[in-house]
Amino acid sequence: MIRALTAALMIATPVAAQSPAAATTPAAAGAASGAVSVQAIEPRATAVFDAWMREAHVPGLVYGIVKDGQLVLVRGLGVQDTASKRPVKADSLFRIASMSKAFTALAILKLRDEGRVSLEASAETYVPEMRGWRYPTTDSRRVRVADLLHHSAGFVEDNPWGDRQQPLSEAGFTAMLKAGVPFAQAPGLRMEYSNFGYATLGRIVSNVSGQRYQDYIRSEIMTPLGMTATGYDVLRVAQAGRALGYRWQDERWVREPDMADGAFGAMGGVQTSANDYWRWVAYLLSGWPARYGADAGPVKRATLREIVEGSNFVTVQERRRADGSICRVPSAYAMGWSVVEDCDRGRIVQHSGGYPGYGSIVMLLPDAGVGVFAFANRTYAAPSQPVSQVLLILREAGLAVDRTVPVSPDLARAYGVAQQVWRTGSLDAAPLAENVALDRDLAQRRRDIAELKQQVGTCRTDAPIAPVSAMEGRFRWSCERGTVAGRVQRAPMPALSLQVLAFEAAPQ
């Protein structure tokens, strides 16, 4: 399986628009919020995918854009079968390989919420075949459930091998677990991508739930979300509805044999369509922002947000931006997702998939409520680059703007204190925490304010405050001879008390 890589972001500017391919109709776009605006960038987006397909020798591809809980754009390009030339449509079924891991991770978290699994417990608590394992050192800790989620169990990276274990029988997997595995390093020392580890999580789901892993995921997650065409057993689906898998060999496409569903389904077995998968994307994005209101999904919203937590062993890559500057891009693996902080696109929650015959990628902007995904039917051809480019197009078009933090009532009061102090020059009535006078005595603070007011002249103090959180905010005031930058921050006490009240001249 191809792991989610920051290399997907190593691009500069989008390619020029070319003639778009034939479109399919979104299942739920219609009058969806933002649909018209997103449709306006469709020619550019489709051109990006079209150019990538030709360069990567991909027979067929489908991509979708999810915004504000709706599928606002979906396009099928190329063919799902090189013999029949059937075009790719929004309901064409693709295997999505390692993007399946997200379902496994959420299932584990759901069982944790129900008190049936502990992430800190040894995995052998739920998989007894692991109890006789030989660890690499005498001081190695036992593999925890959390280690499996984060790929830090100490197993060797196993993408080439793991792909071919998909059809393994449950009995064969039990024998494999009993035999134990060699370790690349002691558990907890570093992240190393492991399909075997996620297959083991699948066994935990089966053992704890009392259901076959695939049945649990279908009944507890997929069906409640309306993902009726999504499943694991590709051999039970009519071939005419599937995008068949190919590899590019000797300047031609060669059909990859289909692999049956088996014990390694938890690491890469899902088959889905754009018309189904967008529901999963929209559901995950619904976890943001934190808010009041009932939870309506298979798991709690707080649990959805947890998929980005627990990131460990951060790596940093560099890419050159369109203006020639260098962008340092840190990333880390969380729970079935890789979390990336990009200079231009912001925080991205992503995962790719690679498989004999298939490549896929999904990138979420949780703070903007936007996701882009794409499936291709060529071996290991994850469309990471074009999806990343489309994210940038959406950002630049103002169609993927991060939600602003609301101004809480107490932050508004704190800002009122700052405005009053500036107008009067007095700190006497301000609700200041005890640290303020100790950090810089109040007489000196009054002199600082007076000197700054003399320097900048009259200011307009009615500009809105920009919240950092419910407890902190920053503001900028335009003045006669410059700009004042300020900050207020509450102390962690129930009553309003400011631990920070700052004014300074902003650089020109």
Side-chain angles (χ1 to χ4, degrees):
M1 296 309 192
I2 299 176
R3 72 185 68 180
L5 297 173
T6 55
L9 300 169
M10 304 298 129
I11 62 172
T13 55
V15 299
Q18 303 169 30
S19 57
T24 54
T25 302
S33 173
V36 174
S37 296
V38 171
Q39 289 288 340
I41 60 97
E42 183 273 332
R44 292 181 66 197
T46 297
V48 167
F49 284 104
D50 194 47
W52 177 83
M53 286 176 64
R54 290 196 302 271
E55 183 177 346
H57 303 291
V58 171
L61 176 145
V62 66
Y63 77 90
I65 298 176
V66 178
K67 179 175 168 62
D68 299 329
Q70 296 291 334
L71 178 65
V72 294
L73 180 65
V74 60
R75 293 291 182 266
L77 310 176
V79 299
Q80 64 178 35
D81 180 345
T82 60
S84 70
K85 305 297 183 184
R86 280 189 291 266
V88 171
K89 300 179 180 179
D91 57 3
S92 298
L93 293 166
F94 289 77
R95 296 196 96 155
I96 60 171
S98 280
M99 285 163 59
S100 308
K101 290 180 171 66
F103 293 93
T104 303
L106 194 66
I108 291 291
L109 291 174
K110 177 177 172 62
L111 292 169
R112 187 279 317 274
D113 287 351
E114 296 167 355
R116 303 166 74 183
V117 168
S118 169
L119 302 189
E120 299 307 311
S122 297
E124 63 190 43
T125 305
Y126 312 105
V127 184
E129 291 86 358
M130 298 174 66
R131 291 173 184 165
W133 280 14
R134 179 178 179 179
Y135 280 77
T137 62
T138 57
D139 63 353
S140 294
R141 74 177 187 215
R142 313 299 284 184
V143 172
R144 303 175 306 174
V145 175
D147 295 327
L148 299 174
L149 281 170
H150 301 315
H151 294 296
S152 56
F155 304 146
V156 68
E157 184 273 324
D158 62 356
N159 280 321
W161 174 85
D163 292 346
R164 301 299 177 175
Q165 307 310 307
Q166 178 71 51
L168 184 69
S169 68
E170 293 295 338
F173 189 35
T174 296
M176 184 183 291
L177 288 165
K178 284 183 177 179
V181 295
F183 283 81
Q185 63 272 322
L189 292 183
R190 66 185 178 94
M191 182 269 187
E192 189 162 356
Y193 194 83
S194 174
N195 293 299
F196 176 82
Y198 263 73
T200 305
L201 287 171
R203 177 58 66 90
I204 292 175
V205 171
S206 295
N207 288 349
V208 172
S209 70
Q211 294 179 260
R212 186 169 176 261
Y213 163 84
Q214 290 87 339
D215 295 335
Y216 179 87
I217 298 296
R218 186 179 297 106
S219 65
E220 298 297 319
I221 296 177
M222 292 174 177
T223 299
L225 295 179
M227 301 177 71
T228 56
T230 302
Y232 292 84
D233 192 349
V234 302
L235 300 182
R236 294 183 62 183
V237 178
Q239 183 167 301
R242 298 180 55 229
L244 305 184
Y246 300 88
R247 67 178 181 270
W248 184 251
Q249 179 178 304
D250 300 325
E251 299 301 311
R252 64 188 183 93
W253 288 310
V254 177
R255 177 82 161 88
E256 288 274 19
D258 290 322
M259 284 191 285
D261 181 35
F264 267 54
M267 66 85 184
V270 170
Q271 177 176 258
T272 190
S273 68
N275 272 346
D276 256 22
Y277 190 75
W278 78 266
R279 302 174 190 278
W280 169 245
V281 172
Y283 173 57
L284 294 174
L285 290 170
S286 75
W288 284 265
R291 60 195 183 275
Y292 290 103
D295 283 315
V299 302
K300 297 182 294 185
R301 286 195 299 272
T303 301
L304 294 181
R305 295 191 295 274
E306 199 171 346
I307 62 175
V308 304
E309 295 180 12
S311 300
N312 54 85
F313 309 115
V314 175
T315 60
V316 178
Q317 296 189 29
E318 293 184 348
R319 71 170 176 85
R320 189 170 298 278
R321 304 169 81 176
D323 62 5
S325 62
I326 297 298
C327 168
R328 291 176 60 80
V329 183
S331 67
Y333 203 90
M335 300 184 189
W337 295 89
S338 186
V339 183
V340 179
E341 294 287 345
D342 183 68
C343 311
D344 300 314
R345 298 158 186 82
R347 182 172 64 153
I348 302 171
V349 180
Q350 68 177 41
H351 212 293
S352 62
Y355 203 73
Y358 300 94
S360 54
I361 181 73
V362 57
M363 294 186 180
L364 310 179
L365 300 176
D367 299 314
V370 171
V372 181
F373 63 89
F375 313 145
N377 60 342
R378 202 219 78 192
T379 297
Y380 300 142
S384 304
Q385 185 186 44
V387 167
S388 180
Q389 289 180 247
V390 170
L391 280 187
L392 187 57
I393 292 172
L394 291 168
R395 285 286 202 193
E396 291 175 342
L399 297 169
V401 178
D402 286 353
R403 302 181 185 94
T404 57
V405 178
V407 179
S408 68
D410 276 343
L411 182 58
R413 290 175 56 204
Y415 186 35
V417 170
Q419 293 167 316
Q420 179 69 14
V421 167
W422 180 262
R423 285 194 296 269
T424 65
S426 172
L427 295 160
D428 295 341
L432 303 177
E434 58 268 28
N435 67 284
V436 174
L438 296 172
D439 295 340
R440 187 171 179 82
D441 67 77
L442 299 187
Q444 184 59 55
R445 288 180 182 272
R446 284 190 290 270
R447 287 193 292 272
D448 293 341
I449 293 171
E451 291 173 2
L452 182 56
K453 291 175 74 173
Q454 185 175 12
Q455 174 187 337
V456 299
T458 302
C459 300
R460 291 198 57 176
T461 61
D462 57 351
I465 190 168
V468 175
S469 70
M471 302 278 286
E472 179 182 0
R474 299 177 185 273
F475 53 89
R476 290 176 70 87
W477 296 334
S478 296
C479 309
E480 289 179 297
R481 296 182 294 276
T483 301
V484 168
R487 176 179 169 228
V488 290
Q489 184 185 46
R490 289 183 56 199
M493 304 297 292
L496 180 63
S497 177
L498 301 187
Q499 60 174 319
V500 174
L501 175 57
F503 308 93
E504 63 180 9
Q508 297 300 309

